[in-house]
């Protein structure tokens, strides 16, 4: 029975992590800064290579409330996160995958960003939270590719 319980817990954990990551795009696109920041732990970090290194929920919310993101929403945008590969280890996990940001240019959607992502998560108070997310454009850099490596 213990083996079955462990397998069920792992499935539930993976589903919770996938749901958490999938909620990022809709929250970003509707400008729900506080709800998006609540995906992170209190002292979580969000590093976007060449753009930002936000530490803590207020700074992470500030990325959504900032002028750049507000203009992106005004133009029309979609943050799409692909499936993630999840490595579980008890109360911590790592998820790796891609993200794409599309922007409306007045006539059609254009690809604004294609990035590699590494999410580090922890079970905190019975639920999963992001402790760190690193995001880097896939422009041929080895550092960006490394984010996808198991």
């Amino acid at each position: 029975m213990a083996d079955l319980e462990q397998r069920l817990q792992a499935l539930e954990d993976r589903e919770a992590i996938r749901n958490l990551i999938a909620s990022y795009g809709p929250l970003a696109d509707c400008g729900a800064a506080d709800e998006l920041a609540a995906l992170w732990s209190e002292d979580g970090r969000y590093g976007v290579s060449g753009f930002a290194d936000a530490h803590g929920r207020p700074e992470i919310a500030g990325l959504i409330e900032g002028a750049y993101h507000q203009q992106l929403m005004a133009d029309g945008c979609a943050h799409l996160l692909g499936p993630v590969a999840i490595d579980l280890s008890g109360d911590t996990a790592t998820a790796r995958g891609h993200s794409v940001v599309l922007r409306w240019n007045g006539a059609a959607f254009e690809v604004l960003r294609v990035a590699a992502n590494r999410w580090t998560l922890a079970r905190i108070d019975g639920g999963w939270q992001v402790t760190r997310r690193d995001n880097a454009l896939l422009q041929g850099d080895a550092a960006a590719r490394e984010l996808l490596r198991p």
Side-chain angles (χ1 to χ4, degrees):
M1 246 353 230
D3 182 55
L4 184 59
E5 288 175 7
Q6 288 176 342
R7 289 174 51 204
L8 179 59
Q9 184 64 57
L11 288 170
E12 289 176 347
D13 288 341
R14 283 186 171 86
E15 183 61 21
I17 291 167
R18 284 187 183 99
N19 189 55
L20 181 151
I21 292 171
S23 67
Y24 176 88
L27 292 172
D29 293 337
C30 75
D34 291 336
E35 292 88 343
L36 182 142
L39 300 176
W40 271 259
S41 61
E42 288 288 338
D43 62 346
R45 295 189 80 100
Y46 184 9
V48 182
S49 182
F51 180 70
D53 186 15
H55 183 242
R57 289 179 180 164
E59 287 185 19
I60 292 167
L63 296 175
I64 302 302
E65 295 166 337
Y68 178 80
H69 194 272
Q70 291 298 306
Q71 184 60 55
L72 189 59
M73 288 190 314
D75 291 343
C77 66
H79 290 71
L80 307 174
L81 285 86
V84 291
I86 299 171
D87 300 312
L88 283 173
S89 180
D91 290 337
T92 62
T94 301
R96 297 166 283 109
H98 298 86
S99 62
V100 176
V101 178
L102 303 174
R103 177 176 53 193
W104 181 250
N105 67 16
F109 280 99
E110 62 187 8
V111 176
L112 181 63
R113 297 178 53 88
V114 176
N117 293 266
R118 179 179 291 268
W119 305 74
T120 305
L121 306 103
R123 189 187 328 266
I124 300 171
D125 298 328
W128 288 96
Q129 293 182 344
V130 180
T131 57
R132 183 174 186 93
R133 177 185 177 191
D134 290 297
N135 172 295
L137 293 176
L138 285 163
Q139 297 176 311
D141 298 328
R145 290 191 307 272
E146 194 62 29
L147 293 177
L148 299 173
R149 189 173 305 284

